[in-house]
Amino acid sequence: MLNQNEILQTIQMIDQQHLDIRTITMGISLLSCADADPKRACQKIYDKITRYAEKLVSTGENIEREFGIPIVNKRISVTPIALVAAASDTEDYVPFAVALDNAAKTCGVNFIGGFSALVQKGMTDADRKLIAAIPEALATTDMVCSSVNVGSTKAGINMDAVAQMGQVIKKAADLTADRGGFGCAKLVVFCNAVEDNPFMAGAFHGAGEPERVINVGVSGPGVVHHALQSVNGQPFDVVAETIKKTAFRITRMGQLVAQEASRRLDTPFGIVDLSLAPTPAKGDSVARILEEMGLEVCGTHGTTAALALLNDAVKKGGVMASSSVGGLSGAFIPVSEDEGMIAAARSGALTIDKLEAMTCVCSVGLDMIAVPGDTTAETLSAIIADEAAIGMVNSKTTAVRIIPVPGAKVGDMMEMGGLLGSAPVQEVHPFSSADFIHRGGRIPAPMQSLKN
């Protein structure tokens, strides 16, 4: 039972420290929608999503009102469309994205994820068709998010797919140039993608998941930052314990909302993702947590160690609060979505190279990073390859969500608005990686893949 003091602490966290449920995400299996006729398949997809998720938004809003807990986003994730569309006799997969977009709009959700392919060991014909369709699909839809898994610890890295994804990102930026390359903000390239991630843009409903499921993502950078202010100057073991206790309280709130949404929607409860997901709002920043530990600016020497402590303590506190922790669960470092990261990048303290080092110890990877519009496809692919290698060797999920902003130069600002925020255009290395990328083939899996 919660005592009065704990209730008051939770109210304060919500009112003053930006604590919220970042997303309730319903995962839906579309395997039953496969059909040789692509028009019939698209209709089945639309019908199934709208049938299962018709009450998702209203249920979330009712829980918000009754419990006083902000729920920022209501989202849907679906089976990777390359698996569903493989049965259809068509070369054009864009209509599948349109069907997803229409279903998302009918349901009233913020985003729908799953225009995805899993190609870590090779590509099927369906995978090739889906990847080719990504730029147009993202340019012609509003709610659809896409992801491609190009590597894993078990399979190695599919360098043919890595090379292709650099070209896909460039084309997606060009087709949405009038919106600053917005299409790229809806595209994630993964290594070791997980099947139960509730966060966009990388969410999809894995083949090993049930028919439908409710996954919840919580968020509380502001709460953690506020808690650390009370232990200013104290040793790191005290810092770690403070973060653990705070993560416990945050995760308990997420568990409550997840179970309530599961009950009301008559849908199994899947996981709570306890990732610290920042926003551009002041006081809701992962970077400011790291600076509270004693760094003058996020990105200076010591940043990677501070982030490692934060990520580990968040996980330890969260797993004590719920038996169903999953997704990505840690600390996100999306540059454009974090007020402190934006400031650090503008000061020059936070570079792409430093961000890459930080991804060795945190959730996901190079996220919402703006680079010059003339960055080559090969350079983008090489950045993806570096990040995939970190994930593969360290048996963790890593990813790249990068935006070559059309017409932009180093130092310009990319403006996306809303939760996507803004970011300075950052410098990439001027030296070519083209010959490296053009080799193709597969980087073999590391020794730790032989664990069974």
Side-chain angles (χ1 to χ4, degrees), residues 169 173 180-181 184-185 187 333-338 341-342 345 350-359 364-373 375 380 383-384 387 399-405 412-414 416 420-428:
I169 291 169
C184 299
L187 173 60
I333 51 171
V335 174
S336 78
E337 299 175 11
D338 185 308
M341 295 283 178
I342 296 167
L350 192 62
T351 64
I352 291 179
D353 286 345
K354 185 60 178 179
L355 284 161
E356 182 183 303
M358 292 164 67
T359 64
V364 197
L366 297 173
D367 196 8
M368 287 302 289
I369 293 171
V371 296
T375 303
L380 297 172
I383 291 170
I384 292 167
E387 198 61 28
V400 173
R401 187 164 50 146
I402 192 166
I403 303 163
V405 183
D412 292 345
M413 287 296 293
M414 172 195 74
M416 288 287 172
L420 295 176
S422 61
V425 175
Q426 294 185 259
E427 186 177 10
V428 298

Side-chain angles (χ1 to χ4, degrees), residues 49-54 56-58 76 102-109:
I49 293 170
T50 54
R51 183 172 72 253
Y52 277 178
E54 63 176 340
L56 176 62
V57 172
S58 60
I76 297 168
N102 290 337
K105 289 174 178 174
T106 298
C107 295
V109 296

Side-chain angles (χ1 to χ4, degrees), residues 250-301:
I250 293 170
T251 306
R252 291 299 287 175
M253 188 186 76
Q255 175 97 351
L256 169 68
V257 171
Q259 290 178 331
E260 190 64 24
S262 171
R263 182 184 67 80
R264 296 187 186 195
L265 291 165
D266 191 26
T267 299
F269 162 47
I271 58 94
V272 176
D273 186 320
L274 49 94
S275 297
L276 294 181
T279 72
K282 209 170 183 65
D284 200 26
S285 163
V286 170
R288 300 305 185 194
I289 297 173
L290 306 180
E291 291 169 358
E292 186 63 34
M293 293 187 199
L295 304 172
E296 182 179 359
V297 180
C298 177
T300 192
H301 304 297

Side-chain angles (χ1 to χ4, degrees), residues 95-338:
F96 290 92
V98 173
L100 294 178
D101 200 46
N102 290 337
K105 289 174 178 174
T106 298
C107 295
V109 296
N110 305 95
F111 286 109
I112 185 166
F115 195 75
S116 306
L118 311 177
V119 298
Q120 57 269 22
K121 203 168 184 179
M123 294 190 206
T124 65
D125 289 341
D127 294 326
R128 290 188 181 91
K129 293 173 187 176
L130 184 130
I131 290 172
I134 287 173
E136 185 179 349
L138 297 180
T140 56
T141 61
D142 298 314
M143 311 293 185
V144 173
C145 293
S146 179
S147 60
V148 177
N149 192 66
V150 298
S152 72
T153 300
K154 277 288 187 184
I157 303 172
N158 183 344
M159 290 300 291
D160 293 323
V162 169
Q164 191 169 353
M165 289 313 298
Q167 297 169 5
V168 166
I169 291 169
K170 284 287 287 185
K171 188 172 181 182
D174 290 342
L175 291 180
T176 54
D178 59 330
R179 290 170 282 168
F182 174 71
C184 299
K186 301 190 293 172
L187 173 60
V188 179
V189 186
F190 277 117
C191 177
N192 288 323
V194 297
E195 297 190 339
D196 55 2
N197 167 26
F199 286 100
M200 298 298 169
F204 64 86
H205 187 70
E209 292 288 298
E211 178 71 8
R212 56 176 173 166
V213 70
I214 289 292
N215 296 320
V216 165
V218 299
S219 182
V223 179
V224 175
H225 183 208
H226 183 268
L228 291 186
Q229 290 174 341
S230 67
V231 294
N232 184 36
Q234 296 194 39
F236 281 115
D237 41 3
V238 176
V239 172
E241 283 299 312
T242 302
I243 295 170
K244 281 164 57 179
K245 291 175 183 177
T246 306
F248 179 89
R249 293 202 300 271
I250 293 170
T251 306
R252 291 299 287 175
M253 188 186 76
Q255 175 97 351
L256 169 68
V257 171
Q259 290 178 331
E260 190 64 24
S262 171
R263 182 184 67 80
R264 296 187 186 195
L265 291 165
D266 191 26
T267 299
F269 162 47
I271 58 94
V272 176
D273 186 320
L274 49 94
S275 297
L276 294 181
T279 72
K282 209 170 183 65
D284 200 26
S285 163
V286 170
R288 300 305 185 194
I289 297 173
L290 306 180
E291 291 169 358
E292 186 63 34
M293 293 187 199
L295 304 172
E296 182 179 359
V297 180
C298 177
T300 192
H301 304 297
T303 298
T304 305
L307 184 58
L309 183 153
L310 172 64
N311 207 55
D312 180 67
V314 165
K315 291 178 188 289
K316 287 175 178 173
V319 297
M320 293 298 292
S322 173
S323 59
S324 299
V325 169
L328 299 166
S329 289
F332 289 170
I333 51 171
V335 174
S336 78
E337 299 175 11
D338 185 308

